[in-house]
């Protein structure tokens, strides 16, 4: 599974949004209901990438698209 | 602090309503202030800011799907948070509670556990909002320390200073509301002021 697919899958599961409806250019703060949901997303992403993606680095990222790019950079594009 | 109950809203609508409320509260806070030309924007850290250099006021906004809270402070940097009392999953709790916080919570009955776990989250978030980072800094870097019955202090590696802590548990509305003020002197001591 590519980083793109993995990130979309997690975002979809945590935020309860079908993958095809996730606007990857949208700011994360507009996609989440509240900060608890945002934190839940960030810690899931951190776990998914075996902690190679640091919480505070990823928490400063604004869009889903940027998370995918960041995951590619940190974890390799596969 | 001003808290209003609203019709159930989307996150986006709630934010717009919160901004309206902030303007109303600002007018109450400084009656002579002319609102024309004033805007509520976000600073570099994403914290709401009032665009008027003459105003030395700090603004904080929080909302749930049914409630919106706004506060303004002239004493220092304010952070507020309003949360629906909830039952967290164990894995989630482990990610934001320190060991000593978990120890303090572990003997509570289920109802109180939910209330105080939500309160701990909320105090951490209010603190991080006052600091200007929000949860872009990890909540584990903030520790809630019970000092007396129903009294808590906040300690953090991010800022070695005392702060004012206030909270309210509103079981009728299933809410906790928290407020942290870091005075201007203290906030300038922040060791990680910008992120």
């Amino acid at each position: 599974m590519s980083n793109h697919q993995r990130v979309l899958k997690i975002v979809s599961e945590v935020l309860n949004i079908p993958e095809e409806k996730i606007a990857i250019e949208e700011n994360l703060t507009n996609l989440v209901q509240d900060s608890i949901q945002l934190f839940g997303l960030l810690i899931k992403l951190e776990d998914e990438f075996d902690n190679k993606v640091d919480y505070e680095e990823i928490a400063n990222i604004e869009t889903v698209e940027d998370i995918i790019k960041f995951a590619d950079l940190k974890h390799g594009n596969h | 602090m001003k808290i209003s109950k609203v019709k159930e809203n989307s996150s986006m609508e709630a934010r717009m309503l919160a901004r309206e409320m902030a303007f109303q509260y600002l007018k109450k806070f400084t009656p002579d202030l002319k609102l024309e030309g004033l805007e509520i924007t976000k600073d570099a850290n994403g914290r709401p800011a009032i665009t008027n250099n003459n105003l030395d006021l700090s603004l904080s906004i929080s909302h749930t799907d049914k409630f919106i809270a706004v506060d303004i402070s002239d004493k220092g940097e304010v952070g507020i948070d309003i949360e629906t009392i909830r039952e967290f999953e164990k894995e989630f709790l482990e990610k934001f509670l320190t060991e000593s916080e978990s120890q303090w919570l572990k003997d509570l009955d289920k109802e109180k556990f939910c209330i105080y776990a939500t309160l701990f989250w909320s105090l951490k978030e209010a603190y991080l909002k006052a600091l200007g980072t929000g949860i872009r800094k990890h909540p584990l870097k903030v520790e809630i320390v019970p000092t007396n019955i129903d009294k808590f202090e906040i300690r953090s590696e991010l800022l070695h200073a005392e702060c004012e802590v206030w909270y309210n548990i509103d079981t009728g509305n299933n809410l906790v509301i928290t407020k942290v003020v870091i005075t201007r002197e203290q906030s300038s001591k922040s060791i990680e002021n910008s992120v």
Side-chain angles (χ1 to χ4, degrees), chain A residues 47-61:
Chain A
D47 285 348
E48 174 69 16
F49 292 99
D50 305 324
N51 296 319
K52 286 182 184 173
V53 179
D54 178 69
Y55 172 87
E56 287 184 3
E57 284 181 287
I58 207 164
N60 280 287
I61 291 174

Side-chain angles (χ1 to χ4, degrees), chain B residues 19-178:
Chain B
R19 290 163 78 87
E20 280 303 310
M21 259 178 71
F23 273 122
Q24 288 168 20
Y25 192 59
L26 189 60
K27 186 70 186 165
K28 209 171 172 183
F29 202 84
T30 48
D32 297 334
L33 183 71
K34 286 183 180 163
L35 293 180
E36 293 118 43
L38 265 191
E39 277 186 64
I40 294 171
T41 53
K42 285 186 176 177
D43 69 13
N45 291 323
R47 174 166 50 183
I50 304 157
T51 56
N52 182 326
N53 292 334
N54 299 321
L55 287 175
D56 201 7
L57 298 176
S58 170
L59 166 69
S60 187
I61 294 170
S62 183
H63 63 84
T64 67
D65 56 350
K66 292 184 189 137
F67 290 88
I68 296 174
V70 172
D71 204 4
I72 292 169
S73 175
D74 55 4
K75 288 185 190 164
E77 300 302 336
V78 62
I80 62 167
D81 188 49
I82 182 165
E83 296 288 350
T84 303
I85 295 167
R86 65 189 73 197
E87 188 175 349
F88 292 99
E89 287 177 18
K90 187 171 174 285
E91 294 76 20
F92 192 97
L93 289 166
E94 287 167 356
K95 294 285 187 179
F96 82 88
L97 291 173
T98 65
E99 207 175 314
S100 60
E101 289 164 349
S102 298
Q103 281 294 318
W104 190 86
L105 291 166
K106 78 176 171 48
D107 293 329
L108 299 178
D109 64 38
K110 191 180 173 187
E111 188 187 349
K112 283 215 160 155
F113 185 95
C114 291
I115 291 170
Y116 281 91
T118 308
L119 177 67
F120 280 21
W121 167 272
S122 185
L123 285 170
K124 286 172 185 240
E125 184 171 3
Y127 181 87
L128 290 169
K129 284 168 91 172
L131 207 57
T133 67
I135 60 163
R136 282 178 294 134
K137 286 288 175 195
H138 205 298
L140 279 177
K141 289 187 173 173
V142 181
E143 182 149 70
I144 311 303
V145 183
T147 56
N148 209 329
I149 296 171
D150 287 339
K151 197 165 186 293
F152 301 95
E153 279 180 5
I154 299 179
R155 292 178 199 155
S156 173
E157 63 190 80
L158 301 171
L159 179 67
H160 303 291
E162 288 179 9
C163 55
E164 292 174 22
V165 178
W166 174 91
Y167 71 92
N168 184 39
I169 297 168
D170 178 354
T171 49
N173 286 307
N174 200 38
L175 290 176
V176 297
I177 306 144
T178 56

